[in-house]
Amino acid sequence: MSDKEQRARKAQHELDITAEAVEKLKGFWIAEAVTAASEGRQSDAHNLLLKINALETIRMMVRTPIDDWTVEKALAEAKTPTT
C-alpha cells in the first residue's frame, strides 16, 4: 500500500469517526446563531456561522488526501492497457 493510499484511508477514517460529532456541533451552532440573530446579536450570530464555515474548511482539507488518491488511482487505471 502506497503512502498516498495510507493517507487517504486514514483521512477517510477520520472523516467517518467525526461525522456525527460534526453534524451535532453544526446543528448546535446553527440553533445558537438563529437565537442570537433573533435577539439582535448579529455579530454573535455571524461569528457562529463563521465557526461552521471554518469547520467545513477543515473537513475539506482532511478530504484532500482522499481526492488525491482517487485521482492517482484513476490515472493508473486509465494507463493500464486492457485486453
Side-chain angles (χ1 to χ4, degrees), residues 28-34 36 41 43-53:
F28 174 75
W29 281 342
I30 289 169
E32 289 293 308
V34 169
R41 297 181 290 123
S43 63
D44 291 342
H46 187 250
N47 284 338
L48 288 161
L49 295 176
L50 287 174
K51 286 181 180 184
I52 294 168
N53 187 50

Side-chain angles (χ1 to χ4, degrees), residues 9 14 28 30 33 37 41 44 56 60 62 64 71 73 80:
R9 288 176 185 254
E14 195 67 33
F28 174 75
I30 289 169
R41 297 181 290 123
D44 291 342
E56 285 303 313
M60 182 179 64
V62 170
T64 300
V71 169
K73 185 174 150 186
T80 304

Side-chain angles (χ1 to χ4, degrees), residues 1-51:
M1 182 180 318
S2 72
D3 182 54
K4 283 189 178 184
E5 185 178 3
Q6 281 184 320
R7 290 185 67 213
R9 288 176 185 254
K10 287 178 183 178
Q12 185 62 57
H13 179 69
E14 195 67 33
L15 290 172
D16 291 345
I17 62 173
T18 59
E20 184 179 348
V22 166
E23 291 307 311
K24 286 181 180 180
L25 184 57
K26 281 174 35 180
F28 174 75
W29 281 342
I30 289 169
E32 289 293 308
V34 169
T35 301
S38 68
E39 293 174 353
R41 297 181 290 123
Q42 293 349 23
S43 63
D44 291 342
H46 187 250
N47 284 338
L48 288 161
L49 295 176
L50 287 174
K51 286 181 180 184

